[in-house]
Every structure is written in structure tokens, then in C-alpha cells.
Amino acid sequence: MNMLSEWYRRTFSDPQMVLLVLFALAAVLAISLFGHMLAPAIAAVVIAFLLDGPTEWLIRRGARRWMAFSAVYLGFILLSVIAMLTVVPLLIQQVSQFINDSPAMVGSMRNALLSLQQRFPDLISEAQVNSWLTGLGNEIANFGPKLLQYSLSGLTGAVAVVVYVVLVPVMVFFFLKDKAQILGWFASFLPSDKPVLEQVWGEVLERAGDYARGKVYEILIVGSAAFVTYSVLGLPYATLLAVATGLSVIIPYFGAAMVTFPVALVAYFQWGLGGEMATAVIAYLVLQALDGNLLVPLLFSEAVKLHPNAIIIGILVFGGIWGFWGVFFAIPLATVANAIIRAWRDRSQGNNGTAKA
């Protein structure tokens, strides 16, 4: 009890540690309580955060700030318009087609599993096959209505689309343009002497920011390569599967395994067991291998080094709290937590050394 009391007195008698704890708690509570209402603003902040890297890169190469800002922002708008006019309509069409074809896919899988059961009756029973397929069929059948209800739920969905399409780009513009003024305004509420908070913030900008931007580039490269590969092979739902393949890199260790099944299912439905299906699955596995062994080292040569268990725990915790964005930023958020713990430990050790002296 005396040790706990001593630790509490030593830690929270330091104003810097109190400031760090209060700031972290305020950030978590603000996002948890107001995240849904402020979703467009959070999305704009995230996009501006990602675009800030290319802007600073152009400035370091000698471009004036207004020129770098204009080039990056116009490039973002151009890519967004191209995606809205080309990728999104095709993706919606293929999602609808996939839902319509899902009963036939389940039927073909059922025939294949029943054939396997007849060949190996000791390995798998017919009741197990029917149970698996019933569950899979129910999930696929409910996928369409859930997706429709989530994305286009009447007037609310239409208003949300307008808000994100119009309001978010406007907010991104001002977040990029007035970054210094906005950060200065937030800093005005904090004490002028805040070395620990500045240490954590600097590490977040340096490491987590580079990781997040690199992850976006990785998604775009892997998704584009997958689309070209699937189109050349003649695999149906090439856009849908390419988007899934690109997004699979968000979740380390699990994403690649999760997308293997839909790729194999679509290939089997199209060609059955044979060389074409094997080629499609092997092509997907080669894409994942090239991503893990070539692209990731190139993009993340200075990436944070976290233990695999830390990454998995970060995905579970932050994904459970903040959903998609929590999963996307699981590793940067784990880096933030690691930076806070390290700053806390260094400050505590420094205080101990001062006290002993």
C-alpha cells in the first residue's frame, strides 16, 4: 500500500504527467462521445493529415507553400471525382450482382462439399455440410438488406452522402490551408511549458503519420494491381474483389486470409475445380506475397516496430472502440500508446533520479 501511495504521489505530483494524462483522456472521451456527430469533421482531419505529407514533401523540394498546397489539394479532388464517376458505380453494380448470384454460389459449394463428403465420409458428415452452408447462406442473404439499410437509409442516407461529398472536401481545404492557425489555437489552451506532450506529439507526427500515409499508398497499389490481375484472368467481380484485396492490407495477418475465401469462391463458381481456379488463387497469393516481402519494406522502411501481439491487441481494442477507423489506425494508435508509456517511464525515471540526488 505504501509503494502504491508513493508511486501515485511521485507520478501525479509532476504537472507534465498530469497534463499528459488529462490530454489523452480528453481525446479518448471526445472521440468516444462525439465521434458519431463529428464524423465528417474527423474524416476531414484524417484526409488532411494524410495529404499533409505530400504537401510538406513538395515544400522541402523548394515549392512555395501555396503552390504545394494547391497541387496536392487539386490532385485529391481530381482523384476523388475519378473514383466517384468510375469506381463507385461499378462497385455498387458488382455488389448487387454478387448478392443476386450468391444463392447459386452457395448451391455450387454445397454440391462440391457433398461430393467431398461422399468421397471421404469419415472426414466430414452430411449434417456438417448442411449446417455450414445454412449459416453461410443466411449471412449472404442478410448482407444485401443490411448494406442497403446502412448506406442508403432514406433521407438520412441521402443527406449523409451530400454532407460527405460537399462538406468534407471544403473542411479538408481549410484544415490544410490554415493548419498553423488551427494548431496554434489548440495550443493556446495548453501551458507554454509542455515538453512531454511535445515529445509524444512529435513522435505521432513522425512515425504514425508516415505509417498512415504509407498504408494509403499500399492500399491503392495493391488494389490497382489486383484489378489488373483479375481483369486479365477474366475473374468476375474484378472491381469488388480488387477493392477487397486492397483493403485486406489494413488488417495485418488476418486481412489476406479473410479475402482468400471470396476470391476462391468466385473462381470456383466461374470455372469449377481446375487450372483456371488454381491460377486465380495463386495469383492472389502472389500479390499478397509481393506486398508483404517487397512493397511493405519499401513503403515502411522506417515504420514502427511493434510486437505481433501488440498489433493484434491494438486491432481488437481500437477496432472495437472506433470501428473501421480504429482498425485502419490500429498500429499508429498503438504507436501513440507506446510513445505515451515511454514518455511516462522516462519522466518517472528522471524524477526518481532527481529525488535520489
Side-chain angles (χ1 to χ4, degrees):
M1 189 67 179
N2 291 334
M3 293 179 59
L4 181 61
S5 176
E6 175 63 20
W7 172 85
Y8 181 85
R9 183 196 61 77
R10 184 179 65 248
T11 300
F12 290 99
S13 63
D14 184 355
Q16 296 295 327
M17 301 308 301
V18 175
L19 177 63
L20 179 63
V21 171
L22 291 178
F23 187 84
L25 289 177
V28 172
L29 287 175
I31 296 176
S32 300
L33 296 176
F34 306 107
H36 180 71
M37 292 181 287
L38 298 177
I42 295 175
V45 170
V46 170
I47 295 172
F49 184 72
L50 297 174
L51 296 180
D52 189 57
T55 303
E56 294 298 328
W57 183 84
L58 290 175
I59 292 174
R60 290 195 298 268
R61 295 301 184 276
R64 296 183 177 180
R65 176 166 289 278
W66 70 269
M67 293 179 61
F69 156 73
S70 300
V72 171
Y73 183 75
L74 290 176
F76 160 70
I77 293 297
L78 179 61
L79 290 176
S80 300
V81 171
I82 292 175
M84 290 292 294
L85 295 179
T86 58
V87 178
V88 173
L90 189 58
L91 181 62
I92 294 175
Q93 176 186 354
Q94 292 193 3
V95 168
S96 176
Q97 184 180 355
F98 180 83
I99 294 172
N100 292 333
D101 291 341
S102 59
M105 292 184 185
V106 174
S108 64
M109 183 183 296
R110 180 179 184 277
N111 294 333
L113 289 177
L114 287 177
S115 176
L116 183 65
Q117 187 272 331
Q118 291 173 0
R119 294 178 59 185
F120 305 99
D122 297 332
L123 180 64
I124 182 174
S125 67
E126 185 174 353
Q128 288 176 316
V129 172
N130 292 328
S131 176
W132 294 341
L133 292 176
T134 299
L136 178 62
N138 291 336
E139 289 297 325
I140 295 179
N142 293 330
F143 176 73
K146 288 181 180 179
L147 182 64
L148 184 62
Q149 181 181 6
Y150 177 79
S151 59
L152 294 175
S153 56
L155 182 60
T156 303
V159 172
V161 170
V162 173
V163 167
Y164 277 92
V165 170
V166 177
L167 187 60
V168 170
V170 173
M171 298 181 71
V172 169
F173 174 86
F174 287 108
F175 279 136
L176 281 175
K177 176 178 175 293
D178 300 326
K179 180 184 74 172
Q181 293 91 322
I182 294 173
L183 292 178
W185 182 79
F186 278 108
S188 66
F189 293 94
L190 301 173
S192 58
D193 182 26
K194 46 184 185 300
V196 177
L197 196 58
E198 290 175 351
Q199 174 188 341
V200 173
W201 178 249
E203 184 166 343
V204 170
L205 291 181
E206 179 183 358
R207 296 193 178 185
D210 290 342
Y211 182 90
R213 283 184 284 269
K215 185 60 67 174
V216 171
Y217 302 149
E218 183 187 7
I219 291 172
L220 294 176
I221 293 172
V222 172
S224 300
F227 176 76
V228 173
T229 301
Y230 299 153
S231 298
V232 170
L233 294 176
L235 193 66
Y237 317 108
T239 301
L240 177 60
L241 293 177
V243 170
T245 303
L247 294 179
S248 70
V249 304
I250 293 177
I251 311 178
Y253 312 114
F254 299 117
M258 291 170 59
V259 180
T260 303
F261 175 74
V263 171
L265 175 62
V266 171
Y268 174 76
F269 179 70
Q270 177 71 9
W271 298 302
L273 293 174
E276 293 89 347
M277 177 186 172
T279 301
V281 175
I282 291 173
Y284 169 77
L285 296 177
V286 168
L287 283 174
Q288 293 290 353
L290 291 175
D291 171 57
N293 296 284
L294 179 62
L295 186 58
V296 168
L298 289 175
L299 291 176
F300 306 109
S301 58
E302 301 297 329
V304 293
K305 295 182 179 180
L306 295 172
H307 192 277
N309 284 339
I311 294 175
I312 294 172
I313 292 173
I315 292 171
L316 295 175
V317 172
F318 297 119
I321 296 174
W322 293 311
F324 170 80
W325 289 115
V327 172
F328 180 81
F329 285 107
I331 294 179
L333 288 171
T335 304
V336 173
N338 188 37
I340 292 175
I341 294 172
R342 186 164 51 252
W344 186 305
R345 182 189 58 203
D346 295 343
R347 188 74 177 185
S348 299
Q349 291 175 351
N351 291 340
N352 288 340
T354 302
K356 290 179 181 179

